[in-house]
Amino acid sequence: RLLPHPALKRVVVALLPAPCSRFLWSQPDQYRTNKFFLGASVGTLLGLGLCQLLIVPMNITEMRKVQISYGLAGVTALGWATSPHFRCASLLVAPKFLGKEGRVYVLSFVLAAIYNGPVANIWHNLEEVTRSLGCVAELQVNHSRQLWQVSTAPLRKVMEDMAVSGQTLGAEMQNISRAFVGLNEEVASEEGYDLQQRQHPDPQLAPSTQQLYEMKTKLRCTYVIELGMQRCWDWFSAKHDACMARVVVPLISHLLCLPMKFKLLCHIVKIMHSWCWDKIPVEGNFGQMYDLVNNSVSNLSQEFSASMLLGANVSAEQLMEEVTSHLQQHGAHLGQAISFFRLLLSCTFLLVFISAFSYTKQYCQDICFDNLYITTYFRQIDARRRKQHKRTLLPLRRAEVSAVIFPCRLAVQPPELQSMVLEMLECIPPLLLLLLACGLDHTLFTMLSIIQQHSFVQYSFHSSHHLAVHVTGTSLMARLLRSTIGALNTSSDTQLETSNVACLPQPQSMTRQQYVGSCLPLAVLVLLCLAQVYTYRLRRAIAAFYFPKREKSRVLYFYNKLLQQRQSFVHRQRKRITQRARQHPGLGRLLLEWCCRRWPRLHRWMHQSCMVCGVPVTPQDRVCPVPACGAQYCRLCWREVGSVCLACTPGDPSLTQDSSDEDAGYAA
């Protein structure tokens, strides 16, 4: 029994012991128990490996991970133990991952490398630009603050001294208020006169302080005179009573005590009444002065407090807050978009499994699917037909070689070249994206480097002043002025040297390792496109190992298909050559043929090709034996046409139909 894959079997037999090779190529009904347990073990290990690769990185609970892992391991174990289709599809995951489906998954790493490489460096340099602008703004604010502090230093010193001496000033004001209390009580007092004697002026006109004080003074003066008169009367009465008590003789006592009856002498004091009302010494502006002093003392008696707020509350964060927040928002949105896109591309790993099972299904159902390989079994069929002297296919014609694949050849063949070129074209968009990102990063780095080298500025600030204010005197106002305005006695000498070195941008360029890390995933993607040629050949080998009978029928079908195509091609070429031979040649062709017969050396300068397939002929190829014909055939076509020239024998009816060799039948 010829196996469809003897080359693979020879390799396995050479590498593994004989029992292992017999076990691998045993019939389906042999070693069933061993195959069941071995398949279950391999399936379990494969399921656990897939869980470690796919399930563990997921952001789910540990219990859910364990449940999914057990379920996946159980499914793979059962599939490997019972189904060859499942085993075949599981092994096809490896070549599929290296094929088109796997490249979609690798594309996520390409985008991640671009984002973590040049895009991240561009973002870092943009943040450096923001920092530089903020530093420049802060430097300008600091310079303005220095100028403001120098210009307002005297006033600020006055305000600070007033704020510090606020308690002292308050205590002095309280002392003044307490000293004024006595005068205030004296002016406002109702004592010293008889209230009944007070005259009531017009109630509609409120008397002034001057009028009230003059009235009170006059009433007090009158009250003092009357009080003196009353005391005088009381003194005379007391002396009269004492005299009467001392002298007991009635008549003598009255005579001796008669002078004590002269109380009329006390009325002499009434002469002072006119002086009290006309000559009382009260200044005319006393009331107005009292009102002014009273208001001033009332204001000074209030609590004294002082606070100072000088300067400008400006910071670089406030100036650059909008720019920074704008950059942060865009950075967050870009990071979220990249993360979401990578998540979608990571889910494409499922396409690898779906594609592997789909290939197994189509391999077993569609006999034309991926059936273009010249395998060892194909060569065995051709060798067997050659021994039976039947029509063979090998070696193939040039037109046939472009439509088949020799799996053991390392060179890329025409059917594979077209697919590989299309896959390489799909790598152009990520390549352009990488070049664009690297170009923008290099341009931004170059611009910032130029700014760093040619934007150095040094600032020099000099300031000096001397102010002297002298306040003389010992009064309260003088002391107040010395404690306030006296603070203007300041002098300063300021010299400031600064530069914008700290504000210059510090751009960061990508290192060689970063460039390699950014380009490596794309290089892997390109290598996968090149390796796809060989991984696609491996798919057929894996499927042929699990389904040898199906592979045999597919190879037989492909061999018979090529055999039929070649027979149809030869038949069409016979008709074409016969029709052309029946046509009368033109004058130019007749002249060319005559020249070639006249000078045979001209044949080497003419383009000579096979009459059937058009392949350039060699000296070893066949030439029509008829001298007048000279038609040339390659060895394959000469054998196919039955060693008979089709150009000089067009009328032979046996040449218009299939020869006896063509009726030999198809391979079986």
Side-chain angles (χ1 to χ4, degrees):
R1 176 176 176 270
L2 292 176
L3 296 177
H5 39 265
L8 179 60
K9 183 177 180 180
R10 287 196 300 269
V11 174
V12 173
V13 170
L15 297 178
L16 298 179
C20 295
S21 60
R22 287 195 301 269
F23 177 80
L24 291 176
W25 267 269
S26 61
Q27 297 296 326
D29 56 348
Q30 295 178 346
Y31 309 108
R32 286 188 174 182
T33 304
N34 296 335
K35 291 180 180 178
F36 179 84
F37 287 104
L38 182 61
S41 302
V42 175
T44 303
L45 295 177
L46 181 61
L48 294 177
L50 292 176
C51 292
Q52 187 68 25
L53 181 63
L54 301 178
I55 306 302
V56 173
M58 290 185 178
N59 189 16
I60 57 178
T61 61
E62 293 296 330
M63 181 60 67
R64 186 67 64 184
K65 290 181 181 180
V66 172
Q67 293 175 355
I68 296 176
S69 300
Y70 284 158
L72 184 59
V75 170
T76 54
L78 182 62
W80 269 76
T82 58
S83 175
H85 292 78
F86 192 91
R87 292 193 290 268
C88 178
S90 300
L91 291 181
L92 285 175
V93 169
K96 281 292 184 179
F97 183 78
L98 299 177
K100 182 177 181 179
E101 295 79 6
R103 287 197 303 275
V104 178
Y105 183 72
V106 176
L107 183 61
S108 63
F109 292 94
V110 174
L111 297 178
I114 295 175
Y115 178 75
N116 296 327
V119 175
N121 196 59
I122 290 174
W123 202 257
H124 176 272
N125 289 334
L126 289 178
E127 291 179 349
E128 185 64 24
V129 171
T130 305
R131 185 202 65 82
S132 178
L133 294 177
C135 181
V136 171
E138 186 176 4
L139 185 63
Q140 294 177 353
V141 170
N142 291 336
H143 289 169
S144 301
R145 184 181 292 112
Q146 291 287 341
L147 295 175
W148 173 260
Q149 290 177 353
V150 171
S151 60
T152 60
L155 179 61
R156 186 171 59 253
K157 185 65 169 57
V158 171
M159 296 296 104
E160 289 176 355
D161 290 344
M162 290 181 64
V164 172
S165 61
Q167 297 180 355
T168 304
L169 292 176
E172 293 183 0
M173 296 302 104
Q174 294 296 329
N175 293 333
I176 295 174
S177 299
R178 285 193 295 270
F180 189 73
V181 168
L183 178 61
N184 190 21
E185 291 178 353
E186 180 180 353
V187 173
S189 176
E190 299 290 340
E191 298 179 356
Y193 60 92
D194 189 3
L195 296 178
Q196 296 179 356
Q197 299 177 359
R198 182 176 179 180
Q199 298 180 2
H200 299 282
D202 190 359
Q204 296 181 355
L205 298 176
S208 62
T209 304
Q210 179 72 22
Q211 294 175 352
L212 288 176
Y213 189 73
E214 288 181 355
M215 181 60 67
K216 289 180 181 181
T217 303
K218 293 177 180 180
L219 292 177
R220 285 191 180 99
C221 182
T222 302
Y223 177 74
V224 170
I225 293 173
E226 292 178 353
L227 184 60
M229 291 174 59
Q230 183 64 35
R231 287 182 178 180
C232 181
W233 289 345
D234 294 340
W235 185 82
F236 275 102
S237 297
K239 293 300 180 179
H240 181 268
D241 293 338
C243 181
M244 293 297 292
R246 175 72 64 179
V247 180
V248 296
V249 180
L251 183 59
I252 296 174
S253 60
H254 285 85
L255 292 174
L256 293 175
C257 295
L258 181 61
M260 302 302 171
K261 290 286 187 177
F262 295 157
K263 294 182 179 181
L264 296 176
L265 296 176
C266 294
H267 290 280
I268 299 175
V269 184
K270 289 185 177 181
I271 300 174
M272 299 296 297
H273 275 284
S274 60
W275 183 86
C276 288
W277 289 91
D278 299 332
K279 303 296 182 179
I280 189 72
V282 177
E283 297 293 336
N285 60 347
F286 174 79
Q288 183 179 2
M289 181 62 68
Y290 172 80
D291 291 337
L292 294 176
V293 175
N294 187 28
N295 293 332
S296 299
V297 172
S298 298
N299 294 330
L300 291 174
S301 62
Q302 297 178 0
E303 184 178 359
F304 178 82
S305 62
S307 61
M308 181 182 63
L309 179 61
L310 295 175
N313 188 14
V314 182
S315 62
E317 289 77 7
Q318 294 177 348
L319 296 176
M320 301 304 299
E321 181 178 0
E322 294 184 359
V323 177
T324 304
S325 61
H326 192 67
L327 288 176
Q328 290 177 353
Q329 290 178 0
H330 280 278
H333 294 164
L334 180 61
Q336 293 176 359
I338 293 296
S339 300
F340 180 73
F341 190 66
R342 287 193 61 188
L343 179 61
L344 291 180
L345 291 179
S346 299
C347 294
T348 57
F349 196 88
L350 298 176
L351 296 177
V352 178
F353 294 95
I354 297 174
S355 179
F357 282 93
S358 176
Y359 183 89
T360 304
K361 181 180 179 180
Q362 292 183 357
Y363 181 87
C364 296
Q365 294 180 357
D366 188 2
I367 198 170
C368 296
F369 174 72
D370 198 23
N371 193 4
L372 43 78
Y373 295 94
I374 306 300
T375 62
T376 304
Y377 187 62
F378 188 97
R379 298 177 185 275
Q380 290 177 353
I381 295 175
D382 194 78
R384 184 180 61 192
R385 289 178 61 85
R386 183 175 286 106
K387 290 180 181 180
Q388 296 174 357
H389 302 287
K390 296 182 180 180
R391 185 183 299 275
T392 59
L393 293 175
L394 298 178
L396 298 176
R397 299 178 182 274
R398 185 177 63 176
E400 295 173 341
V401 171
S402 61
V404 298
I405 297 175
F406 294 88
C408 295
R409 293 183 181 178
L410 296 179
V412 179
Q413 300 170 49
E416 300 170 329
L417 182 61
Q418 181 181 2
S419 176
M420 185 183 68
V421 171
L422 293 178
E423 299 298 338
M424 292 290 290
L425 292 178
E426 293 180 359
C427 298
I428 294 179
L431 176 61
L432 294 178
L433 180 61
L434 177 62
L435 294 178
L436 178 62
C438 292
L440 290 177
D441 175 65
H442 181 71
T443 302
L444 182 60
F445 171 75
T446 303
M447 294 173 59
L448 294 181
S449 298
I450 294 175
I451 294 174
Q452 181 187 17
Q453 295 175 3
H454 302 283
S455 298
F456 174 75
V457 178
Q458 187 172 4
Y459 302 91
S460 180
F461 176 74
H462 299 275
S463 173
S464 62
H465 79 275
H466 178 73
L467 180 63
V469 178
H470 300 283
V471 180
T472 60
T474 59
S475 63
L476 174 62
M477 186 59 66
R479 293 198 304 271
L480 292 177
L481 290 177
R482 275 195 294 270
S483 62
T484 56
I485 306 301
L488 294 174
N489 297 329
T490 59
S491 62
S492 65
D493 188 4
T494 305
Q495 183 174 0
L496 181 63
E497 299 287 342
T498 60
S499 64
N500 64 341
V501 175
C503 298
L504 293 177
Q506 303 294 330
Q508 176 181 338
S509 63
M510 292 181 61
T511 61
R512 182 177 300 177
Q513 290 77 8
Q514 290 177 330
Y515 277 113
V516 172
S518 301
C519 299
L520 185 60
L522 185 60
V524 172
L525 188 65
V526 175
L527 290 178
L528 288 180
C529 294
L530 299 177
Q532 172 183 314
V533 174
Y534 307 102
T535 57
Y536 278 10
R537 298 178 189 179
L538 185 60
R539 296 181 308 174
R540 184 208 59 83
I542 294 174
F545 175 79
Y546 281 100
F547 307 102
K549 293 183 179 181
R550 181 63 179 175
E551 177 66 13
K552 180 179 179 179
S553 61
R554 286 167 57 88
V555 173
L556 288 174
Y557 172 81
F558 183 55
Y559 189 92
N560 292 328
K561 178 182 177 181
L562 291 181
L563 189 62
Q564 182 182 7
Q565 290 177 355
R566 179 174 292 186
Q567 291 176 359
S568 300
F569 173 75
V570 173
H571 183 67
R572 290 194 303 270
Q573 291 300 98
R574 281 178 177 176
K575 290 183 178 180
R576 182 181 63 82
I577 295 173
T578 301
Q579 292 176 0
R580 190 176 64 178
R582 291 175 180 176
Q583 296 176 358
H584 188 273
L587 180 61
R589 184 171 181 79
L590 292 176
L591 180 60
L592 182 61
E593 291 178 354
W594 180 83
C595 292
C596 290
R597 289 194 300 269
R598 183 72 176 80
W599 297 285
R601 293 185 178 182
L602 292 178
H603 284 285
R604 68 179 63 181
W605 303 103
M606 296 180 61
H607 178 69
Q608 301 291 331
S609 60
C610 177
M611 292 288 294
V612 179
C613 63
V615 177
V617 296
T618 60
Q620 291 79 18
D621 292 333
R622 300 288 183 173
V623 182
C624 180
V626 179
C629 179
Q632 296 186 355
Y633 299 87
C634 63
R635 288 179 296 177
L636 294 177
C637 294
W638 183 256
R639 187 175 68 248
E640 292 291 338
V641 299
S643 301
V644 177
C645 180
L646 302 179
C648 58
T649 57
D652 191 352
S654 62
L655 298 178
T656 60
Q657 58 185 0
D658 294 339
S659 63
S660 59
D661 291 339
E662 296 173 354
D663 297 332
Y666 298 110

